[in-house]
Amino acid sequence: DAATISALGIEDAPECFTDRAAARASAGFLRHTRHAEGLLVPSLLVPGDSTRWNLVVFLDQLLDPLDVIALSVRPLGTFQLDSGTTQSNRD
């Protein structure tokens, strides 16, 4: 949301997160400095669809075991980042 993006203080956010280095640097900051357990991020595969999100979990930061936090997991597809492009294999 706009308030969260503003609080991050990152110029060109959220568009800058399509750059792998910017996304990793931001996630690393939140993970190690703010001790985030995870991030809810918009899908890069369907950027215009605000109903599609990905949960990024930092397993080493979890305060509770994963099986307590994640009650259900189901795969929807896979993706791979190659040379700055995103390829999708949807089920």
Side-chain angles (χ1 to χ4, degrees), residues 58-81:
F58 305 131
L59 297 176
D60 61 319
Q61 299 289 71
L62 292 181
L63 299 177
D64 293 311
L66 184 58
D67 62 344
V68 171
I69 296 169
L71 304 178
S72 171
V73 177
R74 63 183 173 94
L76 294 175
T78 62
F79 70 94
Q80 179 177 343
L81 297 175

Side-chain angles (χ1 to χ4, degrees), residues 20-45:
R20 187 185 306 188
R24 285 186 175 191
S26 300
F29 169 78
L30 293 169
R31 178 183 194 173
H32 298 294
T33 304
R34 304 299 303 165
H35 305 289
E37 293 183 73
L39 302 171
L40 188 60
V41 299
S43 172
L44 289 179
L45 295 175

